[in-house]
Amino acid sequence: MDWLEGEIIGFDKPYRWTSFDVVGKTRWLLCHRLGYKKIKVGHTGTLDPLATGVVVVCTGKKTKCIDELQNHVKEYVATLQLGATTPSFDLEKEIDATYPTEHINRQLIDEVIPTFLGEQWQIPPVFSAVKVDGKRAYKLARKGEQPELKPKRLVIDEIEVTAFDESLMQLTIRVVCSKGTYIRALARDIGQRLHSGAHLIQLRRTRVGALRVEDCMQFEDFEKLIDNSDITKEPSTRH
């Protein structure tokens, strides 16, 4: 494989890794195992640290493909806890409010979930990388500020219920959506349309474009791939 000419790799991101951790680990392995002095490495779409699944990484000249790859549709499997909210809309922050759930049943869920199909306008989470007056929203939120975020247009191509545990009030859905969709914000919105609250307790990105998570590499596999590479390890020939 020619990493400088460019390769596109799919990783199954570990839990609590950031997308930048994935990029940094990839770059470190390429430089330290193969002797590159420097190499371009980038990802094609951020995945929250508390999520797992597909992160696409480009190296070398293939980093020019990042903008195009970012536009690919994404598929997620998400589990929501109904009846409670958190400021981050997931498990990063503690529960800040609870809501009634006695009225929620499978019939109501089956009525509400299809209303999210098609074009939607979504307000991003405050704890996100969206910029407000040149500053990241999450940095402002961590200072106790409440930045005003504008709704963004997105498209949900598919959404379906895959499981509902009425005793635990936990709902699992599969979502196929456009670039820029925050599944945490979708969890918030589902809770509101159920006349309750909700937050994300588990998220896995299962597909980006045609690349499925079962076809992605673990980092252990990537290390073996590099170690078995027949490319020259002389740094003097690689710049």
Side-chain angles (χ1 to χ4, degrees):
M1 302 182 81
D2 192 332
W3 304 103
L4 288 178
E5 188 61 30
E7 300 291 347
I8 299 175
I9 321 151
F11 286 109
D12 184 354
K13 185 186 81 66
Y15 184 66
R16 289 199 176 277
W17 281 40
T18 68
S19 299
F20 292 108
D21 289 336
V22 174
V23 168
K25 180 73 169 179
T26 303
R27 184 185 293 111
W28 187 90
L29 286 169
L30 289 172
C31 289
H32 285 75
R33 298 287 180 90
L34 296 181
Y36 294 136
K37 291 184 177 179
K38 66 178 182 177
I39 183 171
K40 289 184 178 180
V41 182
H43 67 77
T44 68
T46 301
L47 187 59
D48 287 341
L50 299 186
T52 63
V54 182
V55 170
V56 181
V57 171
C58 300
T59 75
K61 295 179 182 178
K62 286 292 177 69
T63 54
K64 295 178 181 178
C65 301
I66 285 177
D67 287 344
E68 176 189 347
L69 295 172
Q70 282 180 332
N71 291 323
H72 287 179
V73 298
K74 317 235 178 10
E75 180 184 71
Y76 299 88
V77 174
T79 300
L80 287 59
Q81 178 63 59
L82 306 180
T85 57
T86 73
S88 59
F89 308 156
D90 64 4
L91 295 176
E92 181 184 344
K93 298 293 182 180
E94 297 292 327
I95 290 172
D96 61 356
T98 57
Y99 301 84
T101 58
E102 293 81 4
H103 63 288
I104 299 177
N105 54 32
R106 182 58 190 260
Q107 180 181 348
L108 178 61
I109 288 171
D110 287 343
E111 291 172 359
V112 166
I113 293 299
T115 66
F116 288 93
L117 272 172
E119 182 177 309
Q120 306 284 322
W121 288 91
Q122 182 186 79
I123 300 175
V126 172
F127 286 88
S128 68
V130 174
K131 285 189 175 182
V132 180
D133 296 328
K135 298 179 180 179
R136 299 291 184 184
Y138 71 86
K139 291 184 177 180
L140 297 172
R142 285 171 182 165
K143 292 179 180 177
E145 299 181 34
Q146 290 292 325
E148 185 176 344
L149 301 180
K150 296 179 180 180
K152 293 192 173 185
R153 179 187 174 277
L154 56 91
V155 177
I156 294 180
D157 296 308
E158 300 177 37
I159 184 169
E160 64 173 348
V161 176
T162 60
F164 175 53
D165 188 326
E166 193 164 354
S167 62
L168 295 176
M169 276 293 147
Q170 292 181 356
L171 170 66
T172 301
I173 57 175
R174 183 184 69 87
V175 182
V176 178
C177 54
S178 64
K179 168 188 174 182
T181 304
Y182 282 92
I183 304 301
R184 287 182 287 139
L186 178 61
R188 170 204 61 199
D189 295 343
I190 289 173
Q192 290 175 350
R193 290 196 196 178
L194 288 170
H195 304 292
S196 183
H199 64 280
L200 205 59
I201 60 172
Q202 192 171 34
L203 180 63
R204 186 157 175 77
R205 186 152 70 191
T206 51
R207 180 167 63 89
V208 173
L211 179 65
R212 296 190 171 275
V213 69
E214 52 265 31
D215 300 320
C216 291
M217 271 196 276
Q218 307 293 330
F219 264 95
E220 295 83 358
D221 301 324
F222 184 58
E223 291 185 43
K224 292 176 184 177
L225 177 66
I226 291 176
D227 287 341
N228 294 329
S229 175
D230 58 1
I231 194 168
T232 178
K233 296 188 179 183
E234 289 296 326
S236 61
T237 64
R238 296 282 168 177
H239 299 283

